[in-house]
Amino acid sequence: MTSLLDVLPDRPRRRARRAPWVLVLVVGAVLGLGGPVWLDARAAARYPVTAADVEAGRTQLAALAVKGRAPRTGYEREEFGQAWADTDRNGCDTRNDVLARDLVDVRTKPGTQDCVVLRGTLHDVYTGTTIDFERGPRSAEVQVDHVVALADAWQKGAQQWSDERRREFANDPANLQAVQGRANQQKGAGDAATWLPPETGYRCVYALRQVAVKHAYGLWVTRAERDALAREIDRCAIVA
């Protein structure tokens, strides 16, 4: 299966220093949002999307089935296979692949074929903060999030999948993002109706990623989730 990274918006632009907060008012009535919406303009500029990205997201969202959440009965992390398996068979487990992709100034452990990430810097898209990662007692300060949580997927179609498809889903790089550990814990198994990244400028890309993943894997959404995703896509700051 082709990775969803091939069809998602470009990765966020790195920044040398944290930009000051600049707010712009978007008239919610124009967007049908029921009121004014405050966005961080510079944060949005760090995560640009095109009109084509937004149109694709709307089309994919419209194609998703809308149903109630199925019972969580039977869900265990093990239902999605061994955690961080080497599904692409490059010799590195998925967690280290994602850390190497999402961190900058990466240092790897000698003798591991550049697989084991020892340290690096994360410019966290969920919170807009910068985190110095170092493997060891504080490793959990940076965690790898499933953009569409495994438990959420389980309740919206994945329990009907084969073991192999669930394993593929759990290790698909397009559904994985290195993020601040605390934000990942706060999100838990939440969908867009219950949790969105505190970094408001990233919410558009986050919504587009969730929609792309759910569309590719045939997962459904709840009505509240669909409305939340549509709202964030309508708020996207489009670049030429």
Side-chain angles (χ1 to χ4, degrees), residues 75 77 80 82-84 94 126 143-153 166-179 184 187-190 195 206 209-210 213:
Y75 171 74
R77 172 61 181 84
F80 288 82
Q82 174 189 343
W84 312 130
T94 301
Y126 281 6
Q143 299 177 12
V144 175
D145 177 48
H146 288 93
V147 178
V148 174
L150 300 185
D152 181 59
R166 286 196 291 265
R167 181 173 177 267
E168 177 184 276
F169 178 82
N171 292 278
D172 190 326
N175 192 39
L176 297 170
Q177 181 70 45
V179 298
N184 187 39
K187 172 186 174 180
W195 189 90
Y206 181 79
R209 288 186 71 175
Q210 286 213 338
V213 169

Side-chain angles (χ1 to χ4, degrees), residues 32-227:
L33 302 178
V37 179
W38 290 91
L39 297 177
D40 177 357
R42 292 195 182 181
R46 289 195 291 266
Y47 313 107
V49 298
T50 67
D53 295 326
V54 173
E55 185 59 31
R58 288 188 176 122
T59 299
Q60 292 172 345
L61 179 59
L64 297 181
V66 179
K67 304 181 185 180
R69 183 185 294 271
R72 188 163 166 164
T73 305
Y75 171 74
E76 298 289 346
R77 172 61 181 84
E78 291 74 17
E79 294 291 340
F80 288 82
Q82 174 189 343
W84 312 130
D86 179 17
T87 54
D88 61 4
R89 300 181 181 176
N90 68 346
C92 306
D93 65 71
T94 301
R95 172 178 163 78
N96 279 293
D97 279 340
V98 174
L99 290 175
R101 182 194 71 188
D102 293 347
L103 274 60
V104 296
D105 301 326
V106 171
R107 296 276 302 276
T108 57
K109 184 176 181 179
T112 64
Q113 299 181 325
D114 293 328
C115 276
V116 178
V117 176
L118 292 179
R119 60 182 59 91
T121 300
L122 175 69
H123 298 295
D124 179 35
V125 294
Y126 281 6
T127 64
T129 59
T130 297
I131 304 168
D132 292 325
F133 169 80
E134 184 170 358
R135 184 174 296 273
R138 297 173 59 188
S139 290
E141 291 181 5
V142 173
Q143 299 177 12
V144 175
D145 177 48
H146 288 93
V147 178
V148 174
L150 300 185
D152 181 59
W154 178 262
Q155 293 180 281
K156 296 171 183 174
Q159 58 185 288
Q160 308 301 325
W161 294 349
S162 66
D163 291 343
E164 179 57 31
R165 186 159 179 79
R166 286 196 291 265
R167 181 173 177 267
E168 177 184 276
F169 178 82
N171 292 278
D172 190 326
N175 192 39
L176 297 170
Q177 181 70 45
V179 298
Q180 182 200 76
R182 184 167 62 254
N184 187 39
Q185 294 301 310
Q186 290 170 346
K187 172 186 174 180
D191 60 23
T194 59
W195 189 90
L196 289 167
E199 173 82 323
T200 58
Y202 186 69
R203 290 179 180 180
C204 165
V205 176
Y206 181 79
L208 291 175
R209 288 186 71 175
Q210 286 213 338
V211 169
V213 169
K214 292 206 165 188
H215 183 265
Y217 282 90
L219 296 169
W220 70 74
V221 291
T222 65
R223 186 173 300 277
E225 179 186 6
R226 182 201 60 187
D227 293 347

